[in-house]
Structure formats: structure tokens, C-alpha cells
Amino acid sequence: MRAVTERRELSSIAYGFMASKALFAALGVDLFTHLAAGPRTAAELSDDTGIAAHRLRTLLHALSAVGLIVAEGQSYANAPACQRYLVRGAPGDFGEYFRLQVAQQIYPALVHLDAGLAGTGAAFNTFADLLSRPAEARMFTAAQHAGSQAAARVLAARTPLEGARTMLDVGGGSGAFSIALCTRNPSLHATVVDFPAVVDVARTYSEEAGLGGRIDLLPGDAVHIQWPSEQDVVLLSYLLSALGDTEIDVVLAKAQTSLAPGGLLIVHDFMLDDVAPGPAFAALWFLQYLAYRSDGVSFSADALSGRLRDHGFVPAPSEVLIPETTKTILCRKAST
Ligand SMILES: C[S@@+](CC[C@H](N)C(=O)[O-])C[C@H]1O[C@@H](n2cnc3c(N)ncnc32)[C@H](O)[C@@H]1O
């Protein structure tokens, strides 16, 4: 990333939270879905959303100013990315991820970032606290499902698991990755480990996918419970970034013990670049975790590979899964 030189660039970063909020407000009134069938006037959108026209116009001006919608005469249309990714029911739709998790949980939690940074407090006492509340767990997990499905399908398509029969999906959330991997690999049975209120939500998704019989649920704190042994695959998707520094070692040690000889560990997470700063999305995701817990750490693929080696794994080179955001590292456990 180029160093900023202009005052305007500083403003763009400083006011970025207002643009975020404009996007979240639009998602909150389903604006992009109301525009899915074609351009609409402010008056029509006022009827659609129930927002008074004079207030809605202010939102429409902000959204068109940042490029999320396009003004066409008296009407407004979705920008191409909004039409593709933020219209409810569209094939690429992941609006629920922004609307529920990013807008309603992460955005408000960020006011605690200064305290997290100072080490004097945090929004919640870790995920265990946030996700022990059933309503929060439902919201977080539904959102994560919307956010993870596309990445899960890509991982499943490019990671052959021939012969694998058992997989432990630790911090598996909705089970989005278990669903994609079990769909691709008909002999695979998965076990999703997550907090009790989260696995209650995961049950709905595996049953909806017709995989209730092949996806088991194991409620509990992965740092403290015993993991099943002789697993062919252990998957850690977005788990390590959510843990404290010492917990990462606990989880990697448990993964090593849980895998059968020759078994495969798949780590999917935010990872910094090894040499250059960034990428920005990964770096910012690590930063937001400090609002939740002051023992959170950020890591690059290289640093994580070193930690994996310390736990007896032989990591392959990392691969990008979500560009500018996440990578995967695959490691075999030695077969003897
Ligand atoms: C960002 S979500 C990712 C969910 C899923 N792996 C995916 O990629 O879609 C992180 C998940 O880790 C779970 N988690 C965090 N800490 C955990 C712990 N100590 N034990 C079990 N689950 C945990 C959270 O409840 C949440 O479901």
C-alpha cells in the first residue's frame, strides 16, 4: 500500500466509518433488494422502505456519492457490485454477513478498541461471552454462514480429500465449511465443535443441506474440551485469529493429537503478508479483534507456519483463499 500524501486521502480514511454506516443503513432497509428489479425514484423507495422521503433522500445522496447506487435522472439504480452481492436471494448474496455481523456486532464493538489496545478492557470477554447469548449467537452464526459459503465452496473444490472419512471442524460456526466439504466428498463425516448456542444454529444448516446424518455437533469450548481422536482431517477456519496467543498453542497441540497418522490439518484464516505490510483487510480484521480481547495477536503465513512446525506439522506453502483477506495452510501429520 502506497503511503498517503494528500489531505484528501486522510479524510477518506477518517470518514470511512460514515460510508460504512451508509452501507449498513441501506442494508437495514433492504434498499438494494428494492432496487433489484430496476431503477426507482426516491418517492417509490420511500414507499418501499417506509422511510420519510426527505430523510431517505439524504441516504440516497450519500450512497450515490460513494458509488453504492447510481443516480439516473430522477431514479436510482444499484451499482453492479450491490446488484450482484447485496440483493437478497441473488446467487452471490452475502448481505446478511455485513448487515448482521459487521454492522450490528463488529461496528458497535469497535468503540472498545482503545481499551483493548491499552489492555484495560474489551467489548466482550472473548467469543465465549458474546456467543453464550442465544440471540447474539444466532445473529453471528447466520451472518457467518452467508459470509463463508462462497469461500467454503472454493476450498472444497481445490482440496481433494480422497479417502478421508472423519473431519473435525473446530470453531466450525454454522458448519458452512463442513457442508461444502461433505457435499464434495461423499464418504466424509464431519464433527462441528463450537459453543453450545452456536452448534444449536449449525444443526439447522446441516439439516437444510440434507447432511444432518453426516455432520455431528460437539458443543463446548475447544480450548478446554477433549477432541475426538483418529481424525483424517482437522479444519481450523477463522479460529486461530479469534483466540488469545497462548490458546493458539493449546489448539495446535490438540490438533496434532487429534489427527490420525498421515492426517491433514487445514488452517484457513486472516494472514498478513510475509514481507510487505498488509493486506489491509487482513490487518484490519486482526485489529478489530483487539476490541474483543486484548490477548489477540496478528500473524503472517510465515509466522504461523513456524508455529505449526513447532507443533510437529510440516506446512505446505500458503495459498490465498479470499484475495487480500485470507489464506490457507495445509499440513500433513507425519505418518509414523
Ligand atoms: C469467525 S467464526 C468462523 C466460523 C467457521 N469456522 C467459518 O469459517 O465459517 C469463528 C468461530 O469460532 C468459534 N470459536 C471461537 N472461540 C472458540 C472456542 N474457544 N471454542 C469453540 N469455538 C470457538 C466462534 O464461536 C465462531 O463460531
Side-chain angles (χ1 to χ4, degrees), residues 46 51 117 126 136 138 249 326:
S46 169
I51 307 289
L117 205 51
T126 76
E136 297 279 355
R138 244 191 329 276
D249 286 316
T326 67

Side-chain angles (χ1 to χ4, degrees), residues 45-130:
L45 287 167
S46 169
D47 286 344
D48 295 339
T49 60
I51 307 289
H54 66 285
R55 287 198 292 270
L56 189 65
R57 272 195 195 93
T58 301
L59 176 63
L60 294 171
H61 292 153
L63 293 171
S64 29
V66 297
L68 291 168
I69 58 174
V70 181
E72 296 176 353
Q74 295 303 306
S75 299
Y76 295 91
N78 275 334
C82 300
Q83 180 75 13
R84 186 164 170 198
Y85 298 115
L86 301 181
V87 169
R88 277 188 200 269
D93 172 25
F94 68 98
E96 287 296 79
Y97 174 60
F98 286 158
R99 190 175 70 82
L100 298 178
Q101 193 182 108
V102 182
Q104 293 189 43
Q105 293 181 311
I106 293 171
Y107 185 89
L110 280 180
V111 297
H112 299 272
L113 182 60
D114 294 338
L117 205 51
T120 54
F124 308 99
N125 179 19
T126 76
F127 263 118
D129 184 19
L130 173 68

Side-chain angles (χ1 to χ4, degrees), residues 8 42 53 58 98 101 105 125 171 180 191 214 234 253 270 275 308 316:
R8 195 190 169 283
T58 301
F98 286 158
Q101 193 182 108
Q105 293 181 311
N125 179 19
T191 303
R214 286 172 53 209
V234 169
F270 307 113
V275 254
L308 287 162

Side-chain angles (χ1 to χ4, degrees), residues 104-170:
Q104 293 189 43
Q105 293 181 311
I106 293 171
Y107 185 89
L110 280 180
V111 297
H112 299 272
L113 182 60
D114 294 338
L117 205 51
T120 54
F124 308 99
N125 179 19
T126 76
F127 263 118
D129 184 19
L130 173 68
L131 299 179
S132 64
R133 306 175 211 163
E136 297 279 355
R138 244 191 329 276
M139 192 189 291
F140 184 92
T141 307
Q144 190 62 50
H145 194 68
S148 282
Q149 275 178 306
R153 282 190 216 108
V154 175
L155 180 76
R158 77 182 193 197
T159 313
L161 295 180
E162 291 104 14
R165 300 199 162 271
T166 51
M167 179 177 84
L168 199 57
D169 181 0
V170 188

